[in-house]
Amino acid sequence: MANNEWLSEVRSMVGREYGRIYAWDEVNAAMIRQWCEVMGVENPLYTDEAYASDTEFGGLVAPPAMLQAWCLEGLHMNNYPPGSTDENPYGVLKMMEEQGYPAVVAVNSELTFDRYVKLGEKLYYTTLVKDIGEEKTTGLGTGFFVTLIMSFFSEKASGDEKVGELLFRVFKFKPAQRPEEKPAEKAAEKPVVKRPKPGISDDTRFFWEGCEAGELRIQHCKSCDSLQHLPAPVCIKCHSFDLDYQVVSGAGELYSFVVMHYPEVQPFDHPNPIGLIQLDEGVRLTAQLVGVKPGEIEIGQRLQVEFQTFDDELTLPLFRPVAS
Ligand code: ZN
């Protein structure tokens, strides 16, 4: 397709409005409560019926920021309620992809609210292709800014009522070509990145001094004889300030783990396996795992601490698998 031809086809999509995507459920207290819990929102207008009924709203309302949540597809892609359109409002991005603009980055997301929505309302939204900009070159590459607007409505027998709007703008682009670096120059230019250092306080100094001495020291409460990690100013069990430490065996088992693949941040090795280790003495700590391939890590495997000094200045406890 000639250059101008596909572009004018793309541009002809500006102003196109896509059909409705319905909400699976009417606005309900359970979803509101769960959303507030996850987001840490404590406004009683959303969750306390007795409080909300005394306000101008006369009952619970949904947090405005939750608007988009009502019409989400759920766990599975494109699983929209019956009656929803099966047209894809992102078709314009697909067309650009076919013309050699494969990358996408979200630029703006602006939510606007017309009013609170109340329990029992049934919502849907429609999508408008609002604007496709001229081809532009940014630091990321060359491409187009595409603006979509999702308008949210509440179904009413007397005529549907708009309750809010979400503007969503993306940049669809060909990534900029970076000049090839010569390996020798690259190595010469690359600064030496050291391991990040811990913030050491009076509460934690014993731990780091222990690492330098080749000892795994765990904070101990002299009042109730319990161990705790991470170190704290008081005993989390009995609130005593009378704390010292005990040197533990450094033996334990793997309670959980993650393997960091990306981003590949210097100076760490990648993949970078990090374990949550349950020490035989009962407390858990987080540390890098060594001497094991990421694919062979197993929950419950026996581990033993060892100490390594990085950059001649930072000694860290690492854990290595041992035969059980
Ligand atoms: Zn205690």
Side-chain angles (χ1 to χ4, degrees), residues 11-237:
R11 291 208 184 287
S12 72
M13 294 173 87
V14 174
R16 178 158 175 195
E17 188 137 15
Y18 290 83
R20 298 176 180 192
I21 301 277
Y22 285 97
W24 274 107
D25 300 290
E26 57 189 34
V27 175
N28 65 84
M31 270 177 73
I32 293 173
R33 186 186 58 74
Q34 289 160 2
W35 189 91
C36 288
E37 187 181 328
V38 170
M39 303 301 282
V41 172
E42 289 173 356
N43 188 338
L45 181 60
Y46 307 141
T47 52
D48 182 342
E49 178 65 53
Y51 173 91
S53 58
D54 270 349
T55 66
E56 61 182 295
F57 305 104
L60 294 176
V61 297
M66 206 182 155
L67 186 59
Q68 201 187 359
W70 297 111
C71 298
L72 290 178
E73 59 208 296
L75 193 57
H76 302 288
M77 290 269 285
N78 297 320
N79 180 31
Y80 292 109
S84 301
T85 180
D86 55 5
E87 289 182 314
N88 182 356
Y90 299 100
V92 60
L93 301 184
K94 191 92 197 149
M95 287 169 70
M96 290 175 174
E97 219 159 284
E98 284 160 5
Q99 298 298 325
Y101 299 83
V104 67
V105 60
V107 184
N108 304 53
S109 174
E110 295 168 16
L111 204 47
T112 315
F113 318 106
D114 294 2
R115 66 161 173 84
Y116 281 100
V117 296
K118 297 184 175 180
L119 299 191
E121 291 195 79
K122 192 81 197 275
L123 305 184
Y124 67 86
Y125 72 88
T126 59
T127 305
L128 171 72
V129 180
K130 176 76 176 166
D131 187 51
I132 298 170
E134 296 297 320
E135 190 174 57
K136 281 208 168 71
T137 298
T138 73
L140 289 173
T142 299
F144 302 89
F145 287 93
V146 178
T147 307
L148 300 172
I149 294 198
M150 288 144 209
S151 299
F152 289 80
F153 296 87
S154 175
E155 280 191 306
K156 299 268 181 225
S158 54
D160 297 350
E161 190 186 348
K162 191 172 170 199
V163 293
E165 179 176 294
L166 175 65
L167 176 150
F168 190 58
R169 183 174 295 132
V170 300
F171 185 51
K172 188 76 182 146
F173 64 101
K174 297 176 190 175
Q177 296 294 318
R178 294 199 173 79
E180 290 281 321
E181 291 178 82
K182 289 178 192 156
E185 282 176 14
K186 201 171 167 184
E189 280 170 20
K190 197 174 275 178
V192 176
V193 179
K194 293 182 176 181
R195 288 253 171 172
K197 284 195 197 159
I200 298 178
S201 70
D202 288 345
D203 296 321
T204 60
R205 187 167 288 109
F206 73 91
F207 179 85
W208 299 107
E209 288 177 350
C211 292
E212 283 174 21
E215 292 179 351
L216 188 59
R217 297 175 180 174
I218 299 294
Q219 196 171 44
H220 169 254
C221 173
K222 288 156 85 173
S223 293
C224 70
D225 194 29
S226 58
L227 293 173
Q228 66 181 12
H229 187 82
L230 304 163
V234 295
C235 171
I236 54 171
K237 288 213 176 88

